[in-house]
C-alpha cells in the first residue's frame, strides 16, 4: 500500500515512524514533512498541508492508496471530502465531522443534545447577549474563541471585568479573527486534565491509551500557553473504571450523536477532559491525534497502524484487534528560544547521532540545509521520547537523551512527568 501522510510536525513524524513498521506499507510520502520524516519517507516539501489541490495531484502522481491527514486545518477545510470526490481513500474526519473541533459552539451543543458531561456554558455572536449572560453567570468564567486558534483561544479569566473585556476583544475587535467572532462562555472546571483518544469509523469506537499534556511554556505550569511542551502516557490515576466511564459516557455518545446529526465521525476523536469530583467532563473535542500526545501514545501501540487507519477509512474497524503495551512513555519538547512568541530559526542541531538506539527523537520544526545538516525551522523543534517499564524510567531516559542534543537558544521543560506534576503514584 502506498500512503501519503499530510503534515510536518512531530505528530506526523511519529505516525510515519509507526507506519514504517508495517509490512503492508510500500511507498510512504509526507507532505510537506520535515528533516525527520526525510530519513524514513519521501518528503514533498512543496506540498503544504493546506494545499488541497496539491495533495490531490500528488495522490495521482504517486499512485497513493491511502491518505492520512495529521493536522486539523486541512480536515476543517474539507480535504477528506475533496479526496473522496476523487475516489481516494483517506483517514481523517470529513468537513462536516471536523466541525466538532472547528466550532467550540457546535461542540457544546452536541454535548448538550446528547447528554455528554461538559463544562456548562453557552455561545454568542452578539456582544450584548454575551454580556447579559455573563452578568447572570454564577462565577468568573472561561471565555473561548469558538473557531480554530492553535490552542491559544481559551482565556481563563480572573475577574468579571477581564471576562467582559475578553468578549469585547473577541467579538468587536476581532482579536482572534473570524475564530473569535463567536465566543463560548463556560464554567471554569478544576480537577485533573487528560487527553483521551479513540479511533472511530462512523459506528465502531475503539479507545486508545490516554496522555497528559503540558500546555504552559515554563516549569511549574508558568508562562503562556503553547501547542504543548511535553506529555506522558499515562497517569496512575487513570484506572479501568475511569476509562470505562469515558468510553460509555463521552466517546461512544459523541460518535452516536455525530451520526444522528448527519455528520458520521470517521478518524481520531480526541477529547480534552477535566476529571472533576463529579467525574470526567469535556472541555473540547478535536478531530485528530494530539501533538505532543501522539509522540507518547503511538509508541505504545502494538498493533499495525496501517491496518487500523485503513480499517477506519473503509468502515471496517470492528475487524481489527487494537492492542497497547503496558509500558510508560514520556516525551519532552525541545523548543526555539522565544517560543511561543518570536524566535529565530536556522540554527544547526548537534548530537542527534549520539542518542541511545531505542530513544525516540521525533522532529517538528527541522529542515535539512544545503550540506544535509539538520537545522531548526520552527517553534517546537523536536520531541525526545522514551518508553520504560515505569514513568520514572521513561522520564529518566528521555531527559538523559536530551542532554546529547544541542542547538542555539534551545529550551525545554524540566518537569515533564515529574511526581510534583501529579504524574506518578497518585
Ligand atoms: P482549549 O483551547 O479549550 O484546549 O483550552 C486550553 C486550556 O485551557 C485547556 O487545556 C485547559 O487547561 C484550560 N481550560 C479550557 N477550558 C477550561 C475550563 N472550562 N475550565 C478550566 N480550564 C479550562
Ligand atoms: N496537545 C494539544 C493539541 O494537540 O491540541
Amino acid at each position: 500500500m502506498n500512503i501519503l501522510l499530510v503534515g510536518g510536525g512531530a505528530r506526523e513524524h511519529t505516525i510515519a515512524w509507526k507506519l514504517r513498521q508495517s509490512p503492508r506499507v510500500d511507498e510512504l510520502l509526507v507532505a510537506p514533512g520535515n528533516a525527520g520524516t526525510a530519513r524514513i519517507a519521501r518528503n514533498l516539501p512543496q506540498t503544504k498541508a493546506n494545499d488541497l489541490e496539491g495533495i490531490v495531484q500528488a495522490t495521482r502522481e504517486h499512485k497513493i492508496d491511502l491518505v492520512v491527514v495529521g493536522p486539523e486545518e486541512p480536515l476543517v477545510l474539507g480535504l477528506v471530502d475533496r479526496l473522496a470526490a476523487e475516489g481516494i481513500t483517506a483517514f481523517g474526519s470529513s468537513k462536516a465531522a471536523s466541525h466538532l473541533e472547528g466550532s467550540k459552539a457546535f461542540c457544546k451543543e452536541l454535548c448538550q443534545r446528547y447528554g455528554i458531561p461538559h463544562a456548562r456554558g453557552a455561545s454568542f455572536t452578539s456582544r450584548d447577549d454575551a454580556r447579559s449572560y455573563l452578568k447572570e453567570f454564577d462565577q468568573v468564567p472561561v471565555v473561548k474563541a469558538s473557531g480554530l486558534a492553535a490552542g491559544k483561544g481559551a482565556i481563563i479569566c480572573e475577574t468579571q471585568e477581564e471576562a467582559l473585556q475578553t468578549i469585547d476583544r473577541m467579538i468587536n475587535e476581532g482579536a482572534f479573527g473570524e475564530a473569535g467572532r463567536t465566543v463560548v462562555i463556560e464554567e471554569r472546571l478544576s480537577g485533573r486534565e487528560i487527553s483521551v483518544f479513540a479511533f472511530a469509523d462512523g459506528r465502531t469506537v475503539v479507545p486508545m491509551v490516554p496522555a497528559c499534556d503540558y500546555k504552559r511554556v515554563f516549569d511549574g505550569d508558568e508562562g503562556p500557553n503553547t501547542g504543548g511542551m511535553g506529555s506522558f502516557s499515562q497517569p496512575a490515576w487513570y484506572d479501568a473504571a475511569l476509562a470505562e466511564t469515558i468510553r460509555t459516557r463521552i466517546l461512544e455518545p459523541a460518535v452516536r450523536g455525530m451520526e444522528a446529526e448527519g455528520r458520521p465521525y470517521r478518524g481520531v476523536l480526541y477529547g480534552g477532559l477535566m476529571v472533576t469530583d463529579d467525574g470526567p467532563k469535556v472541555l473540547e473535542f478535536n478531530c485528530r491525534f494530539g501533538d505532543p500526545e501522539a509522540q507518547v501514545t503511538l509508541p505504545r501501540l502494538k498493533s499495525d497502524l496501517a491496518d487500523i487507519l485503513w480499517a477506519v477509512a473503509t468502515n471496517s474497524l470492528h475487524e481489527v484487534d487494537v492492542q497497547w503495551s503496558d509500558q510508560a512513555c514520556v516525551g519532552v519538547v525541545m523548543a526555539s528560544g522565544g517560543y511561543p512568541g518570536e524566535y529565530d530559526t536556522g540554527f544547526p542541531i548537534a548530537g542527534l547521532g549520539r542518542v541511545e538506539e531505542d530513544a525516540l527523537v521525533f522532529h517538528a520544526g527541522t529542515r535539512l540545509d544545503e550540506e544535509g545538516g539538520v537545522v531548526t525551522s520552527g517553534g517546537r523543534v523536536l520531541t525526545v521520547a522514551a518508553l520504560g517499564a515505569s514513568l520514572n524510567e521513561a522520564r529518566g531516559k528521555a531527559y538523559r537523551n536530551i542532554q546529547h542534543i544541542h542547538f542555539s537558544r534551545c529550551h525545554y521543560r524540566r518537569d515533564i512527568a515529574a511526581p510534583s506534576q501529579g504524574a506518578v503514584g497518585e
Side-chain angles (χ1 to χ4, degrees), residues 39-346:
R39 296 229 169 110
I40 56 173
R42 181 163 155 209
N43 283 351
L44 301 175
Q46 306 307 329
T47 310
K48 305 298 177 214
N50 290 349
D51 175 6
L52 272 46
E53 292 318 308
I55 291 164
V56 170
Q57 208 182 323
T59 60
R60 293 206 195 98
E61 213 169 292
H62 300 283
K63 301 196 168 39
I64 296 299
D65 302 295
L66 175 69
V67 176
V68 176
V69 188
E72 60 275 21
E73 274 192 55
L75 293 168
V76 171
L77 289 171
L79 174 58
V80 169
D81 310 65
R82 181 75 186 79
L83 291 166
E86 299 286 332
I88 300 156
T89 306
F91 174 86
S93 44
S94 67
K95 184 172 184 169
S98 307
H99 202 46
L100 192 55
E101 172 161 3
S103 165
K104 289 191 197 300
F106 172 70
C107 173
K108 195 159 293 301
E109 284 162 27
L110 185 93
C111 291
Q112 278 160 358
R113 278 206 281 277
Y114 298 95
I116 300 166
H118 62 284
R120 175 175 53 87
S123 59
F124 301 91
T125 49
S126 145
R127 165 185 180 269
D128 293 342
D129 292 350
R131 289 176 78 99
S132 320
Y133 181 79
L134 189 64
K135 287 189 181 126
E136 299 296 313
F137 211 67
D138 53 7
Q139 53 161 269
V140 178
V142 178
V143 178
K144 295 182 180 180
S146 176
L148 293 186
K152 296 174 186 117
I155 312 296
I156 316 275
C157 302
E158 296 304 333
T159 62
Q160 195 79 353
E161 187 52 34
E162 187 187 351
L164 287 166
Q165 281 170 7
T166 304
I167 288 167
D168 279 351
R169 283 204 300 121
M170 286 188 183
I171 296 185
N172 281 19
E173 295 163 30
F176 287 83
E178 280 312 302
R181 296 289 183 192
T182 301
V183 298
V184 172
I185 299 176
E186 69 184 26
E187 65 178 326
R188 179 171 177 173
L189 296 175
S190 53
R192 295 158 160 160
E193 210 174 327
I194 189 139
S195 305
V196 299
F197 303 90
F199 294 110
D201 69 354
R203 272 266 148 90
T204 305
V205 181
V206 177
M208 305 184 214
V209 290
C212 291
D213 176 22
Y214 292 73
K215 290 201 161 59
R216 302 298 190 101
V217 68
F218 299 127
D219 289 7
D221 287 336
E222 300 283 342
N225 269 336
T226 67
M229 291 299 289
S231 61
F232 69 92
S233 180
Q234 60 192 59
W237 49 262
Y238 190 90
D239 57 17
L242 179 59
E244 185 63 5
T245 304
I246 289 170
R247 182 174 70 82
T248 56
R249 300 222 41 216
I250 294 176
L251 297 171
E252 289 177 351
V255 172
R256 278 201 301 274
M258 290 296 278
E259 191 180 9
E261 295 283 311
R263 300 172 187 264
Y265 200 94
R266 207 167 282 117
V268 174
L269 178 64
Y270 162 170
L273 312 184
M274 190 73 87
V275 181
T276 70
D277 291 343
D278 294 333
K281 295 187 179 180
V282 173
L283 298 178
E284 63 173 355
F285 279 123
N286 296 322
C287 57
R288 52 179 172 84
F289 289 106
D291 186 344
E293 290 96 323
Q295 292 92 298
V296 298
T297 53
L298 289 179
R300 296 183 56 200
L301 179 64
K302 292 202 282 190
S303 310
D304 185 318
L305 182 62
D307 279 346
I308 300 170
L309 302 187
W310 179 260
V312 167
T314 57
N315 306 332
S316 52
L317 185 54
H318 61 281
E319 292 171 7
V320 182
D321 185 27
V322 181
Q323 295 288 334
W324 300 90
S325 100
D326 289 332
Q327 283 179 299
C329 194
V330 173
V332 182
V333 171
M334 302 180 80
S336 294
Y339 173 82
E342 304 267 300
Y343 54 82
D344 292 324
T345 60

